[in-house]
Each structure stands twice: as structure tokens, then as C-alpha cells.
Amino acid sequence: MAEVSEDIYRYIVERIFPLYRDFDPAHRLDHVTAVVNAALEMSRHYDVDPDMVAVAAACHDLGLCEDRRTHHLVSGRIIRENPDLKRWFSPEEIETIAQAAEDHRASSDREPRGIYGRIIAEADRQIDPE
């Protein structure tokens, strides 16, 4: 994650990745790291903030802590309620990150709302455990 700031990288590795340890085998650390790496690789072709891409990708499945069916929406809520993100991102950026997580779901019946959601959705589809 060379293009991601050191603080964000450390936060993701130390605070976000460990949350995946108790998820189902298809959504553990190997899945989320693959999605983050794929999303960052794709993001090089767009005018986007790599820190926002990394956080959205890292958080995209956090809602699995509640359930599978609505995990994408729960992930958005978790992002919006995360006070740590306010250190690095504006309220508008946090909303964009949350929407990207909400829009990542392959079974969604609508297109992602923005480029961040498209990147996360495509990265997740490439690694989709189902």
C-alpha cells in the first residue's frame, strides 16, 4: 500500500483487519487484503484519493458482524459512526467512503453511486468468495 499514507495504512492493519478474523472463512484477512490491493491497483487509473479507496475497501465487509443479507448497509453505518475516520476525512469524504461500502454488493440491483463504489464493487467481484 505504498500510495496510502502511513497513518491510514497503520490504522487499517492494526484496527480494521483484525475485525475480519471472526468472519466466515470466505471473508477473512486474505479476502479483505485482496480487495484492498485490487482496489488500489484499479484506483491508479482514476482521479481518486488512495486513502479513501483503501479505507472503503478495508471496511466494505465489516457489516458481516451483524448479518450477511444487509452487511453492505451495516458497513456503511459502521463507517459513518467511526470517530477515528474524522482525523483524516471530512464528513463528505466519510459519506463517500460509506456509500462505496454500501454499493459494493454484487447482488445489488443498482449501479454504484460514484467512482469509489465502482472501484470497490469491481475489486470485490474479482475476489468474490461466492
Side-chain angles (χ1 to χ4, degrees):
M1 287 199 240
E3 60 271 274
V4 175
S5 72
E6 187 177 327
D7 284 352
I8 296 287
Y9 175 80
R10 188 175 322 109
Y11 180 76
I12 289 170
V13 170
E14 294 175 3
R15 302 285 305 278
I16 303 298
F17 284 171
L19 300 174
Y20 283 81
R21 108 181 124 240
D22 295 326
F23 293 161
D24 65 88
H27 291 95
R28 292 210 177 129
L29 186 58
D30 57 337
H31 171 71
V32 71
T33 56
V35 172
V36 169
N37 289 332
L40 286 171
E41 182 61 35
M42 276 184 250
S43 74
R44 291 185 175 128
H45 304 284
Y46 301 96
D47 183 21
V48 294
D49 180 335
D51 288 342
M52 289 174 61
V53 170
V55 170
C59 295
H60 82 281
D61 277 336
L62 288 181
L64 289 168
C65 67
E66 288 190 17
D67 71 26
R68 174 86 175 113
R69 188 177 59 79
T70 63
H71 81 281
H72 56 300
L73 301 175
V74 176
S75 295
R77 187 187 78 225
I78 290 168
I79 291 165
R80 287 181 186 97
E81 293 174 355
N82 183 337
D84 294 328
L85 297 181
K86 293 177 182 176
R87 286 188 280 168
W88 301 292
F89 304 110
S90 71
E92 294 80 15
E93 290 169 327
I94 292 170
E95 182 60 25
T96 298
I97 294 166
Q99 288 180 9
E102 290 172 343
D103 293 349
H104 88 272
R105 190 146 186 208
S107 63
S108 178
D109 59 354
R110 65 178 169 77
E111 287 292 312
R113 289 168 273 188
I115 187 63
Y116 290 91
R118 286 189 203 93
I119 290 169
I120 303 310
E122 185 59 30
D124 192 46
R125 278 187 198 99
Q126 288 183 5
I127 318 294
D128 193 350
E130 293 181 359

